[in-house]
Amino acid sequence: MSLKGKDLVSLSDFSRAQILCVLDVAEQMATAIGFDGGPRSPLDPLDSILATLFFEPSTRTRLSFESAMLRLGGQTLGFADPGTSSAKKGETLADTARMVSAYADIIVVRHPLAGAAKVMADFSDKPVINAGDGAREHPTQTLTDLFTIRRELGTLAGLKVGLAGDLKYGRTVHSLAPVMAQFGSDIVCISPDALRMPESVLQQVRAAGKQATETDDLAAALADVDVLYMTRVQRERFPSEADYEAVKGSCNLTPELMAQGKEGLRVLHPLPRVDEIAPGVDADRRAAYFRQAAGGVPVRMALIALLLGLYGARPGGEPAPPAPEPVATDQRCMNPKCIMSTEAHLQRLCHEHEDKRTCAYCEIAL
Ligand code: NCD
């Protein structure tokens, strides 16, 4: 089982064995960089270039990718402001992918439209890593979340994982929920009605044989969960400011509420937080979100190294399930947040399900 040359557009691209391989190599990287305070051991420097293409704001994801590549001894190039790139002149993402894959050995992309990372991967001959595509997925955040949960609680199985906040637009929870279920944990979705988890994600949890329950009562759910994963209300993804105003501040974790949580509870958050976790919670040893953010470096070091083939094949491990083959369609995707709204030159593709068709880029029903 090797990850060399693979793209990471969705976590469904990786099997459980491949995910565990990333987490195990991340532990080795953590040791090598003295992550837990131990001595550093030098790594053989990497003669490769990582491109970071950020069409949306980022602090942790971009800087931890860059830090990861620099710690591996490689180099980085890219942009954090798409206004300085030829996207501003109207260049397509497909052409950008063709060009950047001539300049770098591995590419990280974040974009406001769902399916953008798939387009990059389709047109790049170098590995492409999705650092967040609109409200769809954020697989490297999930790898960081899994690394943190395994370290903090010793397992990924048999847990009850509460996901709270903006479950509708939050891409981190769309990636995390199905994977936690595949590893054997139940999911509790905690949100107001307007921010409910999409049905397609709930279905993936249930298809993995685990429970996906829904509630709007954070206090009651808190007493019962092993992990509470808080999220920010994704203001930039709402159709209007009025829609955002109607739900903002609807989920708040305070020191008083923390008193209801179990001894062994861990609170995670992909960050940035706005007002959903009171600063008074930070001193609680169960608050793991800053440790979680730090873990982004060894995890991304491991991912880069594996996709570049620095760590070879391992015996055993099931292969990733084959991705469903998309088929050509004449139907237009009407989702304005789909990459097909700007890459109109591309062949329209869909996935055919038993009773419906979804756009192969954003997975919204056609
Ligand atoms: C998240 C993201 O960009 O989706 N941030 C991150 O990468 N750590 C969460 C968010 O912006 O709320």
Side-chain angles (χ1 to χ4, degrees):
M1 178 190 56
S2 165
L3 290 173
K4 184 176 180 184
K6 267 183 85 69
D7 301 307
L8 178 56
V9 172
S10 160
L11 260 189
S12 60
D13 298 337
F14 283 16
S15 66
R16 269 181 304 174
Q18 288 171 327
I19 291 171
L20 289 174
C21 172
V22 177
L23 302 187
D24 291 345
V25 174
E27 288 294 345
Q28 294 171 33
M29 295 297 178
T31 305
I33 63 172
F35 183 74
D36 297 308
R40 280 198 194 157
S41 42
L43 293 162
D44 287 340
L46 185 57
D47 177 24
S48 300
I49 297 174
L50 171 85
T52 55
L53 312 183
F54 277 71
F55 293 85
E56 264 197 340
S58 170
T59 298
R60 273 149 293 271
T61 305
R62 184 171 65 83
L63 296 183
S64 64
F65 261 116
E66 292 187 0
S67 172
M69 192 56 170
L70 296 173
R71 290 229 184 275
L72 286 167
Q75 317 250 15
T76 71
L77 53 76
F79 55 80
D81 174 4
T84 64
S85 81
S86 282
K88 180 87 176 165
K89 301 179 186 169
E91 185 165 46
T92 63
L93 204 56
D95 281 355
T96 306
R98 289 182 173 110
M99 292 326 311
V100 178
S101 65
Y103 305 146
D105 303 295
I106 183 162
I107 301 170
V108 177
V109 62
R110 167 172 287 187
H111 198 283
L113 296 177
K118 173 174 163 52
V119 171
M120 289 287 303
D122 287 350
F123 286 86
S124 158
D125 53 14
K126 303 288 168 52
V128 169
I129 301 172
N130 181 5
D133 61 332
R136 212 179 73 89
E137 281 216 38
H138 193 349
T140 69
Q141 179 63 51
T142 296
L143 291 172
T144 305
D145 302 339
L146 299 177
F147 178 78
T148 308
I149 293 169
R150 199 172 73 156
R151 285 192 138 215
E152 298 274 338
L153 293 171
T155 181
L156 298 173
L159 303 174
K160 199 166 249 195
V161 179
L163 307 175
D166 186 349
L167 309 185
K168 179 173 183 182
Y169 296 115
R171 55 194 173 196
T172 62
V173 289
H174 299 163
S175 292
L176 180 62
V179 173
M180 284 309 301
Q182 281 160 24
F183 278 108
S185 290
D186 290 322
I187 304 298
V188 184
C189 296
I190 310 156
S191 73
D193 206 43
L195 299 179
R196 282 180 59 196
M197 185 68 101
E199 198 54 43
S200 59
V201 179
L202 298 175
Q203 273 169 14
Q204 289 179 65
V205 171
R206 290 174 187 143
K210 302 312 292 181
Q211 282 184 15
T213 49
E214 294 186 274
T215 175
D216 59 4
D217 188 345
L218 176 60
L222 187 56
D224 200 31
V225 294
D226 304 294
V227 174
L228 177 65
Y229 193 97
M230 297 291 295
T231 61
R232 172 181 71 91
V233 179
Q234 308 279 298
R235 181 179 196 160
E236 65 277 28
R237 311 232 184 271
F238 280 69
S240 75
E241 195 59 16
D243 289 307
Y244 168 71
E245 289 291 329
V247 290
K248 76 168 190 198
S250 53
C251 211
N252 293 94
L253 187 62
T254 59
E256 296 69 47
L257 263 184
M258 284 295 283
Q260 324 248 349
K262 292 183 189 174
E263 267 287 292
L265 169 72
R266 288 294 181 274
V267 179
L268 273 69
H269 191 308
L271 302 176
R273 67 172 151 184
V274 181
D275 55 8
E276 58 280 0
I277 301 182
V281 176
D282 299 355
D284 191 311
R285 61 177 173 75
R286 296 171 296 174
Y289 31 90
F290 294 122
R291 299 193 288 275
Q292 175 191 5
V297 174
V299 167
R300 291 178 170 113
M301 287 174 77
L303 183 64
I304 294 167
L306 285 160
L307 298 186
L308 288 175
L310 292 192
Y311 284 74
R314 292 179 163 211
E318 84 262 30
E325 273 302 318
V327 294
T329 175
D330 290 336
Q331 276 175 283
R332 250 189 93 195
C333 178
M334 300 309 282
N335 174 10
K337 300 287 173 82
C338 174
I339 191 67
M340 287 305 277
S341 66
T342 59
E343 301 283 309
H345 61 103
L346 293 181
Q347 166 71 59
R348 294 171 199 151
L349 296 172
C350 71
H351 287 130
E352 290 184 323
H353 309 268
E354 269 164 30
D355 51 348
K356 65 176 194 298
R357 294 171 147 207
T358 54
C359 168
Y361 293 91
C362 69
E363 297 299 347
I364 297 288
L366 291 176

